[in-house]
Amino acid sequence: MSEIHSATRAVKDAVAGLEAHASLNLVTELNQQVALAMAESLDQTAEVGRGPLHGLPLIVKANIAVEGMRHDGGCPALAGNIAGGDAGVVQRLCDAGAIPLAIANLHELAFGTTSANAHFGSVGNPHDPTRMTGGSSGGTAAAIGAGIFKIGLGTDTGGSGRIPAGFCGCAGLRPTTGRYPGDGILKLTDTLDTISIMAADMAHLARLDAAIMSEPVAGPADTGKIRLAVVADPFWRGINREMTALGRRALAELADAGVTIVETDAPQIESLTEAAGFPIALHETERNWQKSARELAGLSLGEFADRIASPDVRGLYQMMARGETPGEAAYRAAMDQHRPDLQKAFAALFAETGADALIFPTLVRSAPPIDETEMIDLDGESLPLFPTMTRRELPASIAGLPALSLPAGQCADKLPFAMELVAPAGTDRDLLAIGRALEPLLN
């Protein structure tokens, strides 16, 4: 039997859930009438003709195209930009029976980690509305964390999918770069950006990936055959004492269940990430948005920047419009030297440890207060929020590796705790299988 017997009922329940949680600013637009029409049509489909995601409402981040909906990245400068068709991933999910119902709020233009959107309002954490969701895919993660949706789409540049998944208590996958179609996205960078998938649990996450790839659903791996590497430097550095303690407790539970844990260090990963990260991110974002501002809004990059609502994002775009970004030489060094060296370092690390994946806490601390968007407190030390939250997420993004954030219990303040797994390129199905095996052990 299908999981959902009435697609129409599922859509109506999701709409009611969004209305009940309206104060969280989860969505910027509803596709209610179209979604209901899709649901009614699906309800007429014979059981044998139903897709693997039959009748599941889908929430889609506002920088991903859904036909007929605003494709604005949560930015007033793009308020008139209407998607003429679905992004490739959205179309594949529709073909599998999913129903795009809502456009998710986000950090404006997906350029930030808090989902504090000055135009639509900050996205609130469903576990405590006074706390942030992380970003930039905050609306998608929060809507799933609130129990309104089982599945959703975000994007991940430098942790934009994994961080909010961790803060909001859902599962989130950044696939190997290039695994999913990349069309229909308001991209920041060609090298780092990818659609990411989020779900209420690993079973739904595996179904999402399988639907996108037209592959069988990855089942759970054999726990006794899983080998995980703990790379203390850099992945267990820069987190607070609670994350360290919870992470170590999770490792002990996994070891008790038969998972092999090996410990090592690879400090070169952080230095190579620092050398490659911002030259790639800023150079490519400037290049892409010089073109996109003109094509989508008929504006120069400077004119476009002045119409961005959120001060942090506006400042970054104004800086790019002034040409104050790493130049061609720094960009070429990042792409031709530092990024390949980082990929080689990861390959050597996996070869030396024999690990299926690296494992570490996703978050540096539990979700901070929603209005603390510039600095973050770690055990009494005040640090710049953006680099502190992204420094351990960026390595997988730059190297193009698959990374999975997996719910792993609660912090002392009852907010979600999560563990992250990073695996070799192209092993996404194996990573999902590992996640499915670890999920019941961590929760």
Side-chain angles (χ1 to χ4, degrees):
M1 292 289 286
S2 295
E3 177 185 349
I4 294 175
H5 300 285
S6 171
T8 303
R9 181 74 265 159
V11 169
K12 289 180 177 179
D13 286 347
V15 171
L18 289 172
E19 291 173 349
H21 292 83
S23 63
L24 295 179
N25 291 317
L26 300 174
V27 303
T28 63
E29 190 174 7
L30 270 182
N31 202 24
Q32 186 171 352
Q33 296 308 312
V34 173
L36 282 170
M38 291 177 67
E40 290 166 2
S41 177
L42 285 170
D43 282 336
Q44 303 305 313
T45 305
E47 186 83 14
V48 293
R50 294 182 176 183
L53 301 178
H54 174 80
L56 280 174
L58 173 72
I59 183 166
V60 181
K61 188 177 180 181
N63 62 340
I64 303 170
V66 175
E67 184 175 6
M69 306 296 285
R70 285 201 306 265
H71 190 202
D72 61 3
C75 179
L78 294 176
N81 189 46
I82 306 299
D86 290 332
V89 167
V90 173
Q91 183 59 59
R92 292 188 186 189
L93 296 181
C94 289
D95 291 343
I99 305 171
L101 171 61
I103 301 298
N105 198 1
L106 74 168
H107 202 112
E108 192 169 354
L109 294 173
F111 211 143
T113 61
T114 68
S115 294
N117 187 308
H119 184 57
F120 286 106
S122 296
V123 183
N125 192 307
H127 301 276
D128 180 348
T130 70
R131 302 297 187 99
M132 72 170 59
T133 60
S136 58
S137 306
T140 301
I144 295 171
I148 303 169
F149 291 84
K150 295 290 189 183
I151 58 173
L153 294 180
T155 58
D156 192 305
T157 303
S160 293
R162 291 160 284 161
I163 291 170
F167 276 145
C168 295
C170 59
L173 174 74
R174 177 196 168 89
T176 297
T177 303
R179 177 172 174 82
Y180 298 160
D183 62 292
I185 309 172
L186 298 174
K187 280 189 177 180
L188 296 174
T189 117
D190 297 309
T191 301
L192 307 181
D193 280 17
T194 177
I195 283 181
S196 64
I197 56 174
M198 297 187 203
D201 51 46
M202 283 303 307
H204 281 90
L205 198 71
R207 287 171 62 189
L208 261 179
D209 180 79
I212 293 169
M213 299 303 297
S214 297
E215 296 175 346
V217 178
D222 182 341
T223 304
K225 295 181 179 180
I226 297 172
R227 186 177 178 89
L228 302 177
V230 173
V231 185
D233 185 0
F235 293 104
W236 288 71
R237 292 175 56 242
I239 60 179
N240 73 358
R241 287 188 291 270
E242 183 180 30
M243 296 298 106
T244 301
L246 289 172
R248 285 291 172 181
R249 187 176 71 184
L251 294 180
E253 291 168 348
L254 297 180
D256 287 345
V259 175
T260 300
I261 307 291
V262 295
E263 304 229 10
T264 190
D265 292 309
Q268 70 275 22
I269 285 177
E270 183 165 47
S271 59
L272 290 169
T273 298
E274 290 176 351
F278 281 100
I280 294 173
L282 293 177
H283 187 89
E284 291 189 357
T285 300
E286 178 186 348
R287 182 179 64 196
N288 283 344
W289 277 95
Q290 290 279 7
K291 179 180 179 183
S292 295
R294 182 174 61 254
E295 292 181 347
L296 299 177
L299 301 171
S300 68
L301 183 57
E303 292 167 335
F304 182 84
D306 292 341
R307 301 187 188 190
I308 294 172
S310 304
D312 59 332
V313 183
R314 183 170 63 247
L316 283 166
Y317 274 70
Q318 288 172 336
M319 179 187 73
M320 290 188 291
R322 294 191 299 267
E324 299 172 3
T325 56
E328 184 68 24
Y331 174 66
R332 289 267 48 101
M335 291 295 290
D336 298 340
Q337 178 183 344
H338 305 313
R339 182 171 182 261
D341 285 349
L342 178 63
Q343 292 171 324
K344 291 175 185 175
F346 269 115
L349 181 59
F350 286 119
E352 291 164 5
T353 61
D356 301 298
L358 317 182
I359 186 168
F360 52 91
T362 305
L363 307 170
V364 299
R365 54 154 292 172
S366 63
I370 196 168
D371 58 351
E372 294 183 9
T373 58
E374 298 295 328
M375 307 295 289
I376 188 170
D377 179 270
L378 289 190
D379 294 331
E381 183 179 7
S382 184
L383 298 170
L385 184 141
F386 184 91
T388 301
M389 285 175 61
T390 59
R391 62 183 289 269
R392 295 173 313 113
E393 307 303 315
L394 275 167
S397 297
I398 296 167
L401 306 182
L404 170 69
S405 182
L406 185 64
Q410 288 184 333
C411 303
D413 54 13
K414 306 301 183 184
L415 292 169
F417 170 70
M419 294 292 282
E420 183 166 342
L421 301 165
V422 174
T427 64
D428 301 61
R429 285 178 56 79
D430 294 336
L431 179 59
L432 288 164
I434 291 170
R436 295 198 69 178
L438 300 190
E439 181 179 47
L441 304 176
L442 294 173
N443 285 281

